[in-house]
Amino acid sequence: MRGLDEPVERLDCWSVPPASVMPSATLSVAHAGRRFARAIAAGGPDETGSARAGPFPGMIFSVVGEIYVTGHRNPDTDSIAAAIGYAELLRRLHPNDDYKPVRLGEVNAQTRWVLDRSGAPEPEFLPHVLLRVRDVMHDDVSLAGEDEPVREVGLTMAREGLDLVPIVDDGGALVGVVTERVLARRYIRESREASSLVDAPTRVSAIVEALDGELIAGDADRRAAGRVWVYAMGGEWSPSGIAEGDVVVVGDREDAQRRAISRGVALLVVSNGMRPDDDVLTLAKERGTAVVSSPLDSYVSGRMITLAAPSRALMDSEPLTVRPDDLISDISEIVKDVHYGAAVAVSPERCPIGLVRRSDFVKPRPRQVILVDHAERAQSAPGIEHAEILEILDHHHIGSIETRVPVRATFDPVGSTATLVVERFRQAGMEPSRPTAVMLLGAVLSDTVILNSPTTTDRDRAVVEYLERVLALDARQFGQEMFESGSDLSRTPVEEIVAGDVKEYDVGSGTLAIAQVEVVGESLLDRHDDLLEAMREVRESKDYVVFALMITDILSKGTHLLVAGDMAPVERSFEEQADDGVLELPGVMSRKKQVAPRLMAAF
């Protein structure tokens, strides 16, 4: 591609190139576009995170954007409360960081009761932790209006090192983009032929502004839409090619000024700050020619005129757009294929809110999460294997979660993750807010079945006593009301019961699932045929090795275990015989300590 390497001969009338002539060279389009942007700037006036110490000794967080604090799928009260509580503590310890509690599913009736009683806001639902456009896009996007002169857009590109500027209408909606490629094409074209506004009708007022000149005669709102000439010839006019409707730049030559006006040019620009004589201005008014005085010389004036064209005339009117929640994996190839290598992220109203470039797909920073109340990949957010796990705070066994780098991981054998959160508050010399304290109390009482579960420790009891004092309420009465609120399942569809509080465990032969509901009395067992049928359907659809449902009676302190799948290993692990698909397990209340370990060993 050539055109910038051809020497400018001394002509009587010449096409005005937009920048100085370069030595002989072959230029890439991108090079030409960047040169054009720099030329515009010369032609007139004028992501990182910080590593820091974490909230507890030994913790180092490198923080960018939101940090999600999340419990497990099919969340119970402990999972929700621990996320709320730990996020609050971390926000107070590090107010400049955005720790956000989230949930991975719908809350159950018991958790809903505790949320309502506490007044704590329900955490937002997090569908996955895969990278989205909003996680990598640049939200400090420079925009330009569709009537904004090309020169202003070029100045923005040169000043900020951009290769693309989104163009918006008066309402702020995206209508196109101006790219280096578009500027390059114009740059190269104007180096080979007469500069033109034919494809970019331009208001006289915009030309006056670009020249920093003065309108002496004519209508400022008139649009010039012809070719642009610098008239420096002597003798006859005919060989010049100047025609009606064109724009002519001329010096202090009255004969040339009259000839241009007589030919019917739309705009006459007089360079070097000169003003035409009154007779010339009278002729211009008679012929409808606008007259502008420019302080610049003829060459630069001619160049600046084409840069006054509105950006709508040069923009790509069908730019690639994406939504902020689009997955990077879904859009990366499309962005790589488009010639300008970028996409504009738009709101539902089509307003530009960010820009994503192909370079943003090179080692992007993953989303950051803190896991509470679980450490099993199958129980965590979809895409967890691609996320950056900053910490794990749990009271279960060490699960199948893998991390790429060492992280702080706490697996502490207490009755509830909420117990660990309260202890962290106290270690930091802080007290949880009242809504959070109520949530944490409900979580401890829920997971320990009002301190009756065999998983209950003295630390759980100490936390309940502490929260009783802080909240000035009776913990046992609170716990009984909480369990009663979620114990009546007579009208709940069996599909909801078996899917409500399910935890999945990876075992050698596949995945097993254990659901649990807490009840008062044995009335739910009257529906055991329907429950088993629903469990079989779930097992088949999710390909579980076995699916078990614990129906735990908090009054009798025992569990009836319903099993969909091979019953023989389950019977052997508990040394009990099943009756019609149901095992009776007196004294068994804890999924974590009394059921999950045996079933995992059996399969």
Side-chain angles (χ1 to χ4, degrees):
M1 182 181 301
R2 300 180 70 83
L4 298 181
D5 55 347
E6 297 175 4
V8 174
E9 301 174 4
R10 183 174 180 81
L11 301 175
D12 292 325
C13 211
W14 68 87
S15 164
V16 182
S20 58
V21 178
M22 295 179 62
S24 295
T26 298
L27 298 180
S28 69
V29 169
H31 186 178
R34 286 190 291 272
R35 180 173 176 80
F36 188 44
R38 292 195 301 269
I40 290 171
D46 330 38
E47 151 187 328
T48 58
S50 57
R52 56 157 176 76
F56 299 99
M59 294 180 68
I60 296 292
F61 285 174
S62 181
V63 177
V64 174
E66 293 177 322
I67 304 169
Y68 301 102
V69 183
T70 177
H72 51 73
R73 302 185 199 185
N74 304 307
D76 57 11
T77 303
D78 190 35
S79 179
I80 295 295
I84 291 173
Y86 204 36
E88 178 181 305
L89 173 61
L90 293 174
R91 282 196 305 271
R92 288 166 64 180
L93 288 167
H94 301 286
N96 293 328
D97 296 329
D98 187 11
Y99 295 93
K100 186 174 184 178
V102 293
R103 57 182 172 84
L104 302 184
E106 295 299 320
V107 299
N108 59 36
Q110 181 193 92
T111 307
R112 174 69 59 201
W113 183 89
V114 181
L115 283 166
D116 292 343
R117 178 74 175 265
S118 69
E122 180 179 342
E124 292 182 15
F125 174 66
L126 181 68
H128 59 79
V129 288
L130 296 167
L131 272 176
R132 308 156 299 174
V133 167
R134 68 168 71 248
D135 299 315
V136 302
M137 72 183 188
H138 305 267
D139 55 11
D140 53 342
V141 183
S142 295
L143 306 177
E146 57 185 335
D147 288 323
E148 193 164 336
V150 172
R151 176 175 178 270
E152 294 304 317
V153 177
L155 282 171
T156 298
M157 296 174 77
R159 182 173 56 249
E160 301 182 19
L162 305 176
D163 49 17
L164 177 150
V165 172
I167 307 300
V168 297
D169 62 18
D170 291 341
L174 181 72
V175 293
V177 293
V178 171
T179 67
E180 276 191 342
R181 183 171 183 172
V182 168
L183 293 179
R185 284 178 171 175
R186 189 175 186 89
Y187 181 95
I188 294 169
R189 186 192 73 188
E190 293 192 356
S191 69
R192 301 180 65 90
E193 60 187 44
S195 300
S196 175
L197 298 177
V198 172
D199 60 349
T202 303
R203 292 183 186 277
V204 170
S205 58
I207 295 174
V208 173
E209 185 175 352
L211 295 172
D212 195 21
E214 177 187 358
L215 179 63
I216 301 174
D219 182 3
D221 290 330
R222 179 178 181 178
R223 292 187 183 273
R227 291 184 295 176
V228 181
W229 303 89
V230 171
Y231 183 34
M233 65 184 291
E236 295 301 319
W237 176 274
S238 55
S240 69
I242 296 175
E244 185 176 352
D246 285 348
V247 177
V248 173
V249 181
V250 67
D252 187 22
R253 292 177 51 196
E254 183 176 341
D255 60 332
Q257 295 167 5
R258 286 181 176 276
R259 286 176 179 174
I261 294 171
S262 298
R263 191 45 101 58
V265 298
L267 173 63
L268 179 71
V269 176
V270 182
S271 61
N272 297 304
M274 299 298 181
R275 295 175 63 91
D277 292 341
D278 290 343
D279 291 346
V280 173
L281 293 177
T282 298
L283 178 63
K285 291 175 183 177
E286 291 174 355
R287 300 300 298 268
T289 298
V291 180
V292 171
S293 173
S294 167
L296 308 173
D297 64 37
S298 296
Y299 174 82
V300 175
S301 293
R303 185 180 69 178
M304 297 299 290
I305 288 170
T306 58
L307 299 181
S311 36
R312 84 161 72 82
L314 270 70
M315 72 184 183
D316 179 342
S317 59
E318 296 183 352
L320 178 62
T321 61
V322 293
R323 295 166 298 183
D325 287 321
D326 285 343
L327 297 182
I328 293 301
S329 58
D330 291 341
I331 60 99
S332 59
E333 291 304 317
I334 304 172
V335 174
K336 290 176 184 176
D337 287 344
V338 71
H339 72 80
Y340 45 83
V344 183
V346 296
S347 69
E349 297 76 27
R350 202 173 166 76
C351 296
I353 58 175
L355 196 64
V356 57
R357 303 181 179 91
R358 58 168 66 108
S359 60
D360 297 324
F361 305 143
V362 180
K363 294 184 178 180
R365 183 66 179 269
R367 297 169 79 178
Q368 298 179 310
V369 295
I370 294 174
L371 307 184
V372 296
D373 199 35
H374 74 291
E376 288 279 359
R377 176 175 169 178
Q379 296 176 13
S380 201
I384 191 64
E385 66 274 14
H386 302 294
E388 180 182 0
I389 299 172
L390 301 180
E391 183 184 7
I392 302 172
L393 182 64
D394 193 15
H395 70 125
H396 298 96
H397 71 285
I398 299 175
S400 59
I401 290 287
E402 296 182 358
T403 63
R404 296 183 180 87
V405 297
V407 301
R408 179 181 174 92
T410 300
F411 296 90
D412 207 335
V414 293
S416 167
T417 305
T419 294
L420 304 178
V421 174
V422 173
E423 289 177 344
R424 294 282 175 93
F425 266 103
R426 301 192 74 181
Q427 290 168 11
M430 296 180 178
E431 187 175 285
S433 64
R434 184 173 183 85
T436 297
V438 173
M439 288 298 306
L440 294 169
L441 175 62
V444 179
L445 295 175
S446 175
D447 258 26
T448 64
V449 194
I450 317 180
L451 303 178
N452 286 316
S453 169
T455 60
T456 306
T457 67
D458 288 341
R459 290 162 63 187
D460 300 303
R461 296 184 183 93
V463 163
V464 170
E465 291 174 4
Y466 164 73
L467 292 174
E468 271 190 318
R469 293 195 306 272
V470 168
L471 297 169
L473 55 74
D474 185 299
R476 183 164 295 277
Q477 180 182 348
F478 179 90
Q480 289 174 345
E481 292 176 10
M482 177 183 67
F483 275 103
E484 289 171 2
S485 71
S487 64
D488 183 8
L489 301 174
S490 59
R491 291 188 175 88
T492 304
V494 290
E495 293 79 11
E496 291 185 20
I497 295 173
V498 302
D501 180 10
V502 183
K503 290 189 177 179
E504 296 178 345
Y505 303 88
D506 294 327
V507 293
S509 53
T511 301
L512 66 86
I514 306 173
Q516 184 174 24
V517 292
E518 282 126 355
V519 298
V520 177
E522 299 184 356
S523 60
L524 185 59
L525 289 172
D526 295 338
R527 305 172 66 188
H528 87 282
D529 289 340
D530 294 336
L531 289 167
L532 281 170
E533 181 60 30
M535 291 169 62
R536 293 186 187 106
E537 291 178 2
V538 172
R539 174 177 175 264
E540 183 176 348
S541 68
K542 298 199 173 183
D543 198 26
Y544 291 144
V545 175
V546 69
F547 184 22
L549 171 64
M550 297 174 61
I551 301 177
T552 302
D553 188 342
I554 65 172
L555 293 183
S556 67
K557 299 182 181 179
T559 290
H560 288 85
L561 187 69
L562 281 63
V563 178
D566 189 355
M567 178 63 80
V570 180
E571 290 177 326
R572 287 195 298 271
S573 66
F574 287 100
E575 299 179 352
E576 295 285 348
Q577 289 294 119
D579 180 12
D580 197 15
V582 181
L583 277 176
E584 187 173 352
L585 304 175
V588 172
M589 302 183 73
S590 171
R591 171 172 48 191
K592 175 184 73 173
K593 191 169 185 177
Q594 296 173 295
V595 176
R598 294 197 181 200
L599 293 186
M600 292 174 72
F603 292 92

